[in-house]
Amino acid sequence: MTIRNSQHVIASIAKAQATLKLFKEKLTLKKLNKLEIEITDCFRYLLHKTDLVHRVAIHTQTFSLSIYDPEGKPVPKHRLSAGEKQLLAIAFLWGLARVSGRQLPVAIDTPLGRLDSSHRNNLVERYFPSASHQVILLSTDTEIRKVEYEKLQELEAIAHSYLLKYDSAKHQTTVEKGYFWE
């Protein structure tokens, strides 16, 4: 190979690398735009204040989330209640799952912990039954009460229920079929 051919190959490789870098950036932006749309749709679907959020944006460098109201003004995150912040986190995970296109199991510990009754109902009726093909909820008896449990059964969202019982004398946990009051 001549020096001229070698220089041409090196220049071609540099151009290809630059093109691939640009392609990667555009693909990343396209995926981020799709993720923004999914997170926005999921968040608005879970919220009971539908006029609070118009759009969720993802910063391309830091991947931080920004929320915008219907007038396009930023909504400071401190303005969100603890429950709304929890719903945003759930919407983010749900959006990621939807964009991935994969059926992944979802496990949630204390799923209704900080939520008021309206947000609880939205999660029970809208999210848990459709979050994934397999959803594992780890709850307390006061968190998923009989009314939520019966609603999930009515929606055919419960395949199995198990009660984890800790025996302090034996320092072990046993697993039993059923839920707290069954």
Side-chain angles (χ1 to χ4, degrees):
M1 187 182 276
T2 67
I3 291 175
R4 187 174 165 112
N5 282 347
S6 296
Q7 289 173 336
H8 176 69
V9 169
I10 291 170
S12 295
I13 290 171
K15 284 181 184 178
Q17 286 176 328
T19 302
L20 286 172
K21 183 180 179 191
L22 184 62
F23 178 73
K24 179 184 171 191
E25 288 170 2
K26 287 187 178 191
L27 188 60
T28 300
L29 285 175
K30 185 178 177 181
K31 283 286 188 184
L32 280 179
N33 288 338
K34 188 172 182 178
L35 182 57
E36 286 174 340
I37 291 165
E38 290 295 339
I39 293 170
T40 300
D41 289 348
C42 292
F43 192 38
R44 289 175 51 95
Y45 184 66
L46 294 174
L47 281 175
H48 62 87
K49 296 178 193 171
T50 55
D51 61 339
L52 176 69
V53 175
H54 175 69
R55 181 172 74 91
V56 176
I58 302 172
H59 188 275
T60 56
Q61 300 301 316
T62 63
F63 299 106
S64 63
L65 298 180
S66 296
I67 302 165
Y68 295 92
D69 68 13
E71 284 99 46
K73 295 178 185 167
V75 176
K77 289 191 188 85
H78 70 270
R79 248 190 72 202
L80 299 177
S81 69
E84 290 163 344
K85 288 176 185 173
Q86 183 176 342
L87 292 181
L88 178 59
I90 289 169
F92 183 79
L93 294 173
W94 198 7
L96 279 172
R98 288 168 66 168
V99 168
S100 80
R102 295 178 180 230
Q103 284 281 342
L104 301 170
V106 174
I108 305 172
D109 190 5
T110 56
L112 303 175
R114 298 177 169 172
L115 301 176
D116 61 22
S117 61
S118 176
H119 288 131
R120 282 173 161 265
N121 290 337
N122 284 354
L123 276 185
V124 168
E125 293 177 11
R126 297 178 177 185
Y127 178 65
F128 297 151
S130 58
S132 178
H133 69 293
Q134 183 180 24
V135 179
I136 301 166
L137 301 177
L138 304 169
S139 73
T140 64
D141 61 333
T142 58
E143 192 176 8
I144 294 183
R145 302 163 303 181
K146 197 167 190 168
V147 64
E148 288 93 4
Y149 187 84
E150 287 172 352
K151 185 64 171 176
L152 288 167
Q153 281 184 315
E154 177 187 315
L155 294 168
E156 298 179 359
I158 298 176
H160 304 284
S161 297
Y162 298 99
L163 183 61
L164 304 177
K165 282 193 171 181
Y166 180 71
D167 184 335
S168 58
K170 295 180 181 178
H171 302 290
Q172 71 181 25
T173 300
T174 57
V175 180
E176 298 177 5
K177 273 196 153 292
Y179 200 62
F180 291 98
W181 50 82
E182 289 187 312

